[in-house]
């Protein structure tokens, strides 16, 4: 029996991704894109309204636990979490958390046009998004979605991610999402290069990586699911050197993971300390963190045209920023080891700063927050507002930044829990699960796509 | 401020490891090693005796939960687990499980002698080991050990793994241990190359990787903790090709992880279905799986000279084997995706076969078990008995094998949950947490050290 072996690694991929990052599109020019998106917006009917919990259809609070769940037991539920950590101003707390044990698919289909890789992006409505319609990956589906628990239409292009014959997998890796809001959620982040002609659908467009980068410079156009997939693109950056060898970076991650004692217990949503529920929301009297609310949705371009669901609404806009330094000629990002309660494996690497400053108004602010907030325009390399998962969060916007820093602002000798790594090191870690959190991945997507260029004068 | 960057990767490491794997030792010849180990055995007093639970000192069953724990709350505890899985003959069961949330250190110190890397191995007594004394890594310590909860002596050489100035980290990665017996246990697996002279202690010897390989051909000499660290050695195998590219292997792991529904709940040890406790043991009337027992220990070379503790005793010897095929000239190993109840992230890759055949005596045997058990000597490339973690398990021996197979015995077209990967692919995956289980890592250590040579005529 004769079998052909295949090369273990794809040596030309990094070059093809770099070419795509530098190219305008064959399918639509970047200049024409806003009109296309506006046309898609007009082609559909969207309406999202806040409703009282009692008007939720199919969702209810369980009598015993108070947990909020769908009658099918699918989609997701809102439960309680009791958390104890070993450091920081908040050592013990209780909170609601979204539990969604099914692994979903965030899948992007790629194809070459005129020798340049293009990616099939979808204009997709999500009830929690600013502007409702944003660019999602080709497929963005929970298992409940694609096994059609809601009895809606088929998920388009799903077969590229379930049938290995339809394309060539470039990467396929589980990634976590917001550890403060989700309990151990993971989605497949997948890029598949199609082998044959790909049928075209109205709500889909082919864009180069460079075009996506252009759109990432705008507020609230490229959705979170797209950003996390793009963060995993193996760009093959091999910096000439780094402050720490890769093995030392990994050792630091391992040490951070083993030194943190995070005790997390699932508890009933009813009776959470410091949280109160009324007809319309579940939140905290001190107004911190987030509220749980309910919405009704009407949409003309989704699998189901009308539904209602809970959403988590953060109380204020957050900030997520990397401080950046050129060290001996090589760019380095200041990462933090974050012990978010919902992480499966204790810590993941986040941006230098990641918080809603309002939550820290009368406690010691996190390190480097002031350095980010007070940065003048000459230090800001990149800045944009992006929406987090619009299927679960309502108007959860984060201001994402890269901010240049010097030795006085961000020293080489760092406080515990911080480390300097190169963009290449962070990108390589994003090739495996449990290393890079979703906020850091948005910023990494900005680097991979060229939206943020660390060499640019600010 | 002038800062020197360091290369991200160590390009000469793989060559240095290969040289060490091919070399006899400068410190002791392999021929003289048995006499050295015997001398260490005679230098100390060891005695292990089964005792009733009531004679355990410091350990007791909690009145409410029946959980078995130490009065300090440290070390480990034995609790209950309720498990539901989606496939296989055992779909739901309850079982005792060892819970040890602290991350321990399995650390090996390396140093060059005469241009060849040697590794500092320790002759270490563990109560559950066959022969009691086996070769452990330089440091093998739980956090309870090295923070001296038991008020014993300092852990020798610990500073190499807690003080970054003492050496150069080659790798440092969390790895799981037995998912059927431990609840989400992880230890740091670390290799540090010492920068300066290393002081020598009586119970320690310097061996080359090749010498360790020779000893791995013997039964019960190299302990589990050594084997798992050696499995992580980055040998830099880059096979000319593979049946699946690395990205496709990773995609398969991701798919296996997302398709398994494993529901695991911690429950009290008291009242577990199908388990009964008497004065001397906690086990199953049908004699399957394992018993929990207690021992008293006297030892002259450990931090504490006398203690008692629970141990988990499997009811029969197990088998763990890789089927091996040369496919288009390149060796491939048949891995299985194993959903063990105690794994943090659903599945890890195990050997083709991993079980105690006695547990399967009246149910459908696992795939490929007969192929392994019935292999004639002409197909067995490697075979040895090794002990699992002697600090937690009593006489837990596994017969480890590499067995050559052909298309009729192990086809390219595989049942679900199995995949062909190269040794290099498996070795690369062992560079990160949650990919390769501890039994597969023992077999990988045999490859890395040359104990098993797939090119040898069987």
């Amino acid at each position: 029996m004769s079998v052909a072996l295949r090369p273990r690694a794809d040596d030309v991929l990094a070059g093809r991704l770099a070419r795509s990052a530098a190219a305008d599109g064959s399918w639509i020019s970047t200049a024409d894109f806003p009109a296309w998106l506006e046309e898609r917006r007009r082609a559909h009917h969207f309406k999202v309204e806040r409703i009282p919990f009692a008007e939720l259809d199919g969702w209810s609070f369980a009598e015993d636990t108070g947990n909020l769940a769908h009658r099918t037991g699918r989609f997701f539920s809102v439960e309680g979490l009791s958390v104890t950590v070993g450091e920081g101003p908040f050592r013990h707390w209780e909170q609601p958390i979204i539990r969604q044990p099914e692994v979903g698919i965030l899948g992007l289909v790629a194809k070459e046009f005129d020798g340049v890789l293009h990616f099939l992006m979808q204009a997709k409505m999500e009830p929690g998004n600013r502007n409702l319609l944003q660019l999602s990956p080709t497929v963005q589906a929970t298992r409940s979605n694609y096994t059609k628990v809601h009895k809606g239409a088929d998920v388009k292009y799903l077969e590229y991610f379930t049938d290995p014959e339809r394309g060539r997998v470039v990467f396929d890796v589980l990634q976590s999402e917001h550890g403060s809001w989700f309990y151990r959620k993971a989605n497949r982040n997948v890029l598949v290069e199609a082998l044959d002609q790909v049928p075209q659908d109205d709500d889909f467009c082919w864009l180069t990586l460079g075009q996506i980068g252009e759109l990432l410079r705008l507020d609230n156009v490229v959705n979170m699911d797209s950003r996390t997939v793009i963060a995993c693109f193996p760009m093959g950056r091999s910096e000439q050197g780094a402050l720490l060898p890769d093995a030392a970076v990994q050792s630091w991650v391992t040490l951070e993971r083993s030194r943190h004692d995070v005790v997390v217990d699932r508890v009933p949503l009813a009776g959470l300390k410091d949280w109160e529920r009324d007809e319309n929301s579940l939140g905290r009297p001190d107004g911190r963190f987030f509220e749980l609310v309910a919405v009704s949705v009407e949409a003309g371009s989704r699998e189901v045209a009308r539904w209602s669901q809970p959403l988590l609404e953060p109380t204020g806009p957050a900030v997520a920023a990397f401080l950046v330094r050129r060290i001996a000629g090589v760019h380095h990002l200041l990462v933090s080891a974050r012990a978010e309660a919902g992480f499966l494996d204790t810590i993941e690497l986040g941006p230098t700063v990641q918080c809603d400053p309002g939550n820290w108004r009368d406690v010691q602010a996190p390190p480097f927050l002031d350095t980010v907030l007070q940065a003048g325009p000459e230090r800001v390399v990149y800045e944009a507002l992006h929406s987090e998962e619009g299927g679960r969060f309502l108007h959860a916007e984060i201001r994402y930044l890269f901010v240049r820093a010097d030795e006085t602002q961000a020293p080489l000798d760092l406080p515990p829990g911080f480390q300097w790594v190169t963009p290449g090191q962070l990108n390589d870690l994003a090739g495996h699960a449990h290393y890079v959190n979703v906020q850091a991945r948005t910023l990494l997507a900005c680097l991979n796509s060229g939206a943020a260029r660390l060499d640019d004068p600010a």
Side-chain angles (χ1 to χ4, degrees), chain A:
Chain A
M1 175 166 183
S2 160
V3 181
L5 297 187
R6 293 153 70 189
R8 286 184 50 189
D10 180 346
D11 293 334
V12 299
L13 175 66
R16 295 173 72 212
L17 291 173
R19 268 204 306 285
S20 181
D24 199 357
S26 306
W27 191 84
I28 189 173
S29 75
T30 311
D32 291 338
F33 177 84
W36 178 83
L37 189 65
E38 188 51 36
E39 182 219 307
R40 295 327 305 156
R41 202 186 305 279
R42 280 198 307 267
H44 299 286
H45 164 73
F46 303 122
K47 192 167 149 200
V48 177
E49 283 183 329
R50 285 280 304 268
I51 56 172
F53 289 127
E55 290 179 23
L56 280 169
D57 177 20
W59 294 86
S60 59
F61 294 98
E63 286 200 11
D64 46 355
T65 59
N67 290 348
L68 179 58
H70 193 257
R71 64 173 162 239
T72 58
R74 305 292 289 275
F75 302 112
F76 62 93
S77 58
V78 183
E79 309 184 359
L81 217 56
S82 164
V83 187
T84 306
V85 297
E87 58 183 35
F90 304 110
R91 299 287 175 105
H92 176 74
W93 70 90
E94 297 187 343
Q95 66 165 91
I97 196 106
I98 301 176
R99 187 155 169 268
Q100 185 170 342
E102 299 175 353
V103 174
I105 298 175
L106 308 181
L108 199 45
V109 171
K111 180 130 192 83
E112 246 183 26
F113 296 96
D114 301 331
V116 175
L117 280 173
H118 285 60
F119 304 92
L120 188 59
M121 306 293 289
Q122 179 181 7
K124 182 170 180 121
M125 193 287 292
E126 292 175 297
N129 281 347
R130 256 325 152 200
N131 312 331
L132 293 179
L133 199 73
Q134 297 191 5
L135 278 184
S136 86
T138 321
V139 165
Q140 173 179 328
T142 63
R143 199 158 65 180
S144 289
N145 276 147
Y146 68 74
T147 55
K148 295 195 279 179
V149 173
H150 53 36
K151 305 183 175 66
D154 283 348
V155 175
K156 284 167 185 154
Y157 302 105
L158 181 65
E159 61 277 14
Y160 287 91
F161 307 98
T162 53
D163 174 3
E165 305 297 308
R166 298 300 287 266
R168 191 182 63 89
V169 173
V170 180
F171 61 82
D172 184 352
V173 59
L174 290 183
Q175 296 289 2
S176 70
E177 292 177 16
H178 309 72
S180 299
W181 299 336
F182 280 120
Y183 182 72
R184 301 184 174 178
K185 183 183 179 190
N187 274 329
R188 281 176 63 198
N189 284 234
V190 199
L191 175 62
V192 167
E193 185 172 358
L195 298 176
D196 302 310
Q197 196 76 8
V198 180
Q200 177 82 32
D201 187 276
D202 279 349
D203 285 318
F204 292 76
C205 66
W206 291 101
L207 299 177
T208 64
L209 184 52
Q211 289 182 297
I212 298 169
E214 287 293 320
L215 299 174
L216 273 168
R217 297 183 183 204
L218 307 177
D219 291 349
N220 289 317
V221 172
V222 181
N223 84 356
M224 187 210 78
D225 307 76
S226 302
R227 301 191 307 264
T228 171
V229 176
I230 292 166
C232 303
F233 279 24
M235 304 303 293
R237 293 182 189 88
S238 7
E239 293 95 355
Q240 63 194 48
L243 203 53
L244 292 183
D246 292 3
V249 171
Q250 191 194 32
S251 181
W252 176 74
V253 172
T254 300
L255 279 166
E256 285 295 318
R257 199 155 268 167
S258 52
R259 86 174 169 88
H260 278 89
D261 289 311
V262 181
V263 181
V264 173
D265 289 304
R266 286 168 54 202
V267 296
L269 183 61
L272 285 183
K273 186 172 174 298
D274 299 323
W275 294 80
E276 288 177 11
R277 193 180 105 198
D278 64 20
E279 288 171 15
N280 298 303
S281 68
L282 169 66
R284 292 167 56 106
D286 68 3
R288 273 199 166 89
F289 305 117
F290 59 82
E291 285 190 334
L292 188 70
V293 302
V295 295
S296 74
V297 186
E298 288 176 29
S301 66
R302 286 291 298 259
E303 296 84 9
V304 176
R306 174 190 288 272
W307 73 91
S308 63
Q309 68 167 89
L311 288 174
L312 185 157
E313 183 177 25
T315 48
V319 60
F322 271 124
L323 292 181
V324 185
R325 280 184 66 178
R326 192 194 283 268
I327 299 172
V330 173
H331 290 296
H332 282 70
L333 309 171
L334 183 52
V335 296
S336 65
R338 295 184 54 85
E340 300 178 13
F343 284 155
L344 183 68
D345 201 1
T346 321
I347 67 116
E348 296 191 12
L349 304 188
T352 319
V353 164
Q354 174 191 317
C355 70
D356 169 357
N359 291 332
W360 299 76
R361 55 184 180 262
D362 42 18
V363 293
Q364 170 81 47
F368 306 110
L369 177 59
D370 288 345
T371 305
V372 166
L373 294 182
Q374 293 162 13
E378 76 288 355
R379 293 207 289 116
V380 176
V381 184
Y382 171 88
E383 177 172 8
L385 267 181
H386 296 299
S387 296
E388 305 306 297
E389 182 55 51
R392 297 292 174 269
F393 311 132
L394 182 59
H395 300 162
E397 288 181 302
I398 299 183
R399 189 158 68 101
Y400 285 97
L401 302 103
F402 285 90
V403 174
R404 244 191 273 283
D406 59 24
E407 174 68 20
T408 60
Q409 293 151 335
L412 294 186
D413 187 17
L414 290 163
F418 290 87
Q419 194 58 266
W420 290 107
V421 305
T422 65
Q425 289 176 322
L426 195 66
N427 191 194
D428 286 356
L429 289 174
H432 299 276
H434 310 303
Y435 279 114
V436 185
N437 83 352
V438 68
Q439 291 87 351
R441 294 204 306 278
T442 280
L443 287 162
L444 192 50
C446 293
L447 290 180
N448 288 351
S449 63
R453 296 173 191 275
L454 302 183
D455 283 319
D456 282 355

